[in-house]
Amino acid sequence: MKAVVVGGGLGGLTAAIALRLVGWDVVVLERAPEFGEVGAGVGVMPNAMRALAALGLEGEVRRIGTPRVAGGVRDRKGRPLTYVDAARLDHLVAVHRADLHRVLRSALPEACLVTDTDVRSVDDLDADLVVAADGIRSRIRQALFPTMPQPVYVGTTAWRSVTEARFPADLEIGQTLGPGSEFGVLPLGDGRVCWFAATVAPEGGRSDDELGEVRRLVDGWHHPIAEVLDATPPGTVLRHDVHELAAPLPTFVRGRVALLGDAAHAMTPYLGQGACMAFEDAVVLAAACARAGRDVPGALAEYDRQRRPRTQSVARASRMMGRVGHRLRNPVAVALRDAAMRAVPSRVGLRAMDRFLGWVPPDLSPDR
Ligand SMILES: Cc1cc2nc3c(=O)[nH]c(=O)nc-3n(C[C@H](O)[C@H](O)[C@H](O)COP(=O)(O)OP(=O)(O)OC[C@H]3O[C@@H](n4cnc5c(N)ncnc54)[C@H](O)[C@@H]3O)c2cc1C
């Protein structure tokens, strides 16, 4: 059985690895002249780590990812709103996207990775299965669902980068919520720190000095935010306006085509689950294909049945998280939110996340 994966991002590569594990021939077609990822961090939540573990990749990802540290949420003066000790936060791992992409690439033979190939139509692709992993602006989704609205701007602009300097190994994971904005730090395995900042802003804003923009946004915020920014080379700061699919798709499947990752369910990043959902998609798709043998329509129906409700519910929860997180600007609302966060024990907060983080991957062997 042969699959063509359109798009060599985190989702497409993971799908290729998973399908090869269950015995499929796979080719990945990537539009860009080289495979790669942007220079920022990505959070790999426990559900996604289990998906990567099913593919034999957990060890390498943990090696390059966040060490065992504590962490929590603070207000901009540094007062804790929630705090989780290292033992219970062990499951939150951030990695440099470029490093993760390299780990995924090295799990695939060179011969199945094809660059410089802009797929304009799936009709001519010689395959039993086409995996459309071509991202939020998916041309394949637009062709298959021409009446669905385009992705929309959600009102948040985000900056991301990774420090050049290394920080002490006990630097904690931290998210700081200010009115209308936030800042997060996630240490990497080698001591560098990836960080993100987000604020409510009109669409399309750009500056010649994005690092300076972030400095102004978090001026006076608590330690170690200024130090993290000082350790960041100015030219490395990425800025993206955040978009999501305007409406949930009625199906992730059309004929022999399966939509996967952002092509299927581009969501806001407030729960850090966009790529994580793509990793889950990949394992579920491969498991369904393994079970269904040559019955590709049956496999795809099963994939849609399992993935659409889950990803669309995570997308809804993520949108909601934005509303009560950095998007809150009214001082009274911010004070109430902060008081509520302080009052709820962290184990209760973690338990509320269980329905997202507790996901367990299906077995990839065909007889299960
Ligand atoms: C600010 C921000 C922070 C985030 N933080 C997190 C986080 O902490 N954790 C998390 O899990 N997620 C996070 N996400 C979401 C995550 O980045 C995405 O969900 C994930 O990268 C999507 O992967 P993908 O492979 O589906 O799509 P993409 O990464 O967009 O890959 C699509 C690929 O397809 C290629 N392509 C496109 N069109 C064609 C074509 N016609 N022919 C051939 N190739 C094509 C593109 O070049 C690209 O390589 C964040 C997103 C943002 C914006």
Side-chain angles (χ1 to χ4, degrees), residues 16 80 125 134 148 172 176 203 239 273:
L125 297 175
D134 51 345
M148 292 301 289
E172 295 187 346
T176 305
E203 189 174 9
R239 178 173 181 173
Q273 282 284 353

PDB file of all heavy atoms in Angstrom, residues 16 80 125 134 148 172 176 203 239 273:
ATOM      1  N   ALA A  16       4.233  10.155   8.144  1.00  0.00           N
ATOM      2  CA  ALA A  16       5.064   9.279   7.305  1.00  0.00           C
ATOM      3  C   ALA A  16       5.737   8.203   8.162  1.00  0.00           C
ATOM      4  O   ALA A  16       5.762   7.016   7.790  1.00  0.00           O
ATOM      5  CB  ALA A  16       6.110  10.117   6.565  1.00  0.00           C
ATOM      6  N   PRO A  80       3.064  33.973  42.519  1.00  0.00           N
ATOM      7  CA  PRO A  80       2.536  32.744  41.932  1.00  0.00           C
ATOM      8  C   PRO A  80       1.008  32.717  41.897  1.00  0.00           C
ATOM      9  O   PRO A  80       0.353  33.091  42.864  1.00  0.00           O
ATOM     10  CB  PRO A  80       3.060  31.645  42.863  1.00  0.00           C
ATOM     11  CG  PRO A  80       3.982  32.281  43.824  1.00  0.00           C
ATOM     12  CD  PRO A  80       3.812  33.765  43.759  1.00  0.00           C
ATOM     13  N   LEU A 125      -1.824  12.273  -8.094  1.00  0.00           N
ATOM     14  CA  LEU A 125      -0.892  11.571  -7.193  1.00  0.00           C
ATOM     15  C   LEU A 125      -1.167  10.073  -7.245  1.00  0.00           C
ATOM     16  O   LEU A 125      -2.315   9.635  -7.104  1.00  0.00           O
ATOM     17  CB  LEU A 125      -1.037  12.091  -5.758  1.00  0.00           C
ATOM     18  CG  LEU A 125      -0.693  13.568  -5.551  1.00  0.00           C
ATOM     19  CD1 LEU A 125      -0.995  13.994  -4.114  1.00  0.00           C
ATOM     20  CD2 LEU A 125       0.772  13.842  -5.893  1.00  0.00           C
ATOM     21  N   ASP A 134      -0.717  19.844   4.709  1.00  0.00           N
ATOM     22  CA  ASP A 134      -0.140  21.048   4.109  1.00  0.00           C
ATOM     23  C   ASP A 134      -0.503  22.325   4.862  1.00  0.00           C
ATOM     24  O   ASP A 134      -0.486  23.413   4.286  1.00  0.00           O
ATOM     25  CB  ASP A 134      -0.509  21.140   2.610  1.00  0.00           C
ATOM     26  CG  ASP A 134      -2.004  20.975   2.338  1.00  0.00           C
ATOM     27  OD1 ASP A 134      -2.733  20.510   3.236  1.00  0.00           O
ATOM     28  OD2 ASP A 134      -2.442  21.302   1.231  1.00  0.00           O
ATOM     29  N   MET A 148     -16.079  26.248   2.606  1.00  0.00           N
ATOM     30  CA  MET A 148     -15.700  26.526   4.008  1.00  0.00           C
ATOM     31  C   MET A 148     -14.938  27.856   4.070  1.00  0.00           C
ATOM     32  O   MET A 148     -14.115  28.143   3.200  1.00  0.00           O
ATOM     33  CB  MET A 148     -14.800  25.415   4.568  1.00  0.00           C
ATOM     34  CG  MET A 148     -15.479  24.075   4.751  1.00  0.00           C
ATOM     35  SD  MET A 148     -16.910  24.119   5.857  1.00  0.00           S
ATOM     36  CE  MET A 148     -16.141  24.356   7.449  1.00  0.00           C
ATOM     37  N   GLU A 172      13.061  27.498  36.041  1.00  0.00           N
ATOM     38  CA  GLU A 172      11.736  26.875  36.018  1.00  0.00           C
ATOM     39  C   GLU A 172      10.954  27.209  34.748  1.00  0.00           C
ATOM     40  O   GLU A 172      11.180  28.245  34.126  1.00  0.00           O
ATOM     41  CB  GLU A 172      10.942  27.326  37.247  1.00  0.00           C
ATOM     42  CG  GLU A 172      11.575  26.835  38.531  1.00  0.00           C
ATOM     43  CD  GLU A 172      10.731  27.128  39.754  1.00  0.00           C
ATOM     44  OE1 GLU A 172       9.781  27.944  39.658  1.00  0.00           O
ATOM     45  OE2 GLU A 172      11.016  26.534  40.807  1.00  0.00           O
ATOM     46  N   THR A 176       3.690  33.893  32.471  1.00  0.00           N
ATOM     47  CA  THR A 176       3.341  35.083  33.227  1.00  0.00           C
ATOM     48  C   THR A 176       2.181  35.785  32.537  1.00  0.00           C
ATOM     49  O   THR A 176       2.258  36.067  31.334  1.00  0.00           O
ATOM     50  CB  THR A 176       4.549  36.038  33.315  1.00  0.00           C
ATOM     51  OG1 THR A 176       5.644  35.306  33.864  1.00  0.00           O
ATOM     52  CG2 THR A 176       4.238  37.239  34.182  1.00  0.00           C
ATOM     53  N   GLU A 203      -4.450  43.153  13.427  1.00  0.00           N
ATOM     54  CA  GLU A 203      -3.733  42.252  12.532  1.00  0.00           C
ATOM     55  C   GLU A 203      -2.699  43.005  11.694  1.00  0.00           C
ATOM     56  O   GLU A 203      -2.904  44.162  11.342  1.00  0.00           O
ATOM     57  CB  GLU A 203      -4.754  41.576  11.585  1.00  0.00           C
ATOM     58  CG  GLU A 203      -4.163  40.465  10.769  1.00  0.00           C
ATOM     59  CD  GLU A 203      -5.233  39.732   9.949  1.00  0.00           C
ATOM     60  OE1 GLU A 203      -6.387  40.194   9.893  1.00  0.00           O
ATOM     61  OE2 GLU A 203      -4.886  38.680   9.369  1.00  0.00           O
ATOM     62  N   ARG A 239       7.668  36.789  14.585  1.00  0.00           N
ATOM     63  CA  ARG A 239       6.353  37.320  14.974  1.00  0.00           C
ATOM     64  C   ARG A 239       5.285  36.749  14.035  1.00  0.00           C
ATOM     65  O   ARG A 239       5.450  36.791  12.819  1.00  0.00           O
ATOM     66  CB  ARG A 239       6.362  38.841  14.872  1.00  0.00           C
ATOM     67  CG  ARG A 239       5.010  39.444  15.209  1.00  0.00           C
ATOM     68  CD  ARG A 239       5.101  40.945  15.269  1.00  0.00           C
ATOM     69  NE  ARG A 239       3.827  41.538  15.608  1.00  0.00           N
ATOM     70  CZ  ARG A 239       3.669  42.835  15.856  1.00  0.00           C
ATOM     71  NH1 ARG A 239       4.717  43.649  15.796  1.00  0.00           N
ATOM     72  NH2 ARG A 239       2.491  43.310  16.150  1.00  0.00           N
ATOM     73  N   GLN A 273      -1.475  22.795  21.938  1.00  0.00           N
ATOM     74  CA  GLN A 273      -1.886  21.457  21.491  1.00  0.00           C
ATOM     75  C   GLN A 273      -1.937  21.303  19.973  1.00  0.00           C
ATOM     76  O   GLN A 273      -2.259  20.214  19.487  1.00  0.00           O
ATOM     77  CB  GLN A 273      -3.265  21.104  22.078  1.00  0.00           C
ATOM     78  CG  GLN A 273      -3.219  20.671  23.530  1.00  0.00           C
ATOM     79  CD  GLN A 273      -2.697  19.236  23.704  1.00  0.00           C
ATOM     80  OE1 GLN A 273      -2.480  18.508  22.746  1.00  0.00           O
ATOM     81  NE2 GLN A 273      -2.464  18.827  24.941  1.00  0.00           N
TER      82      GLN A 273
END
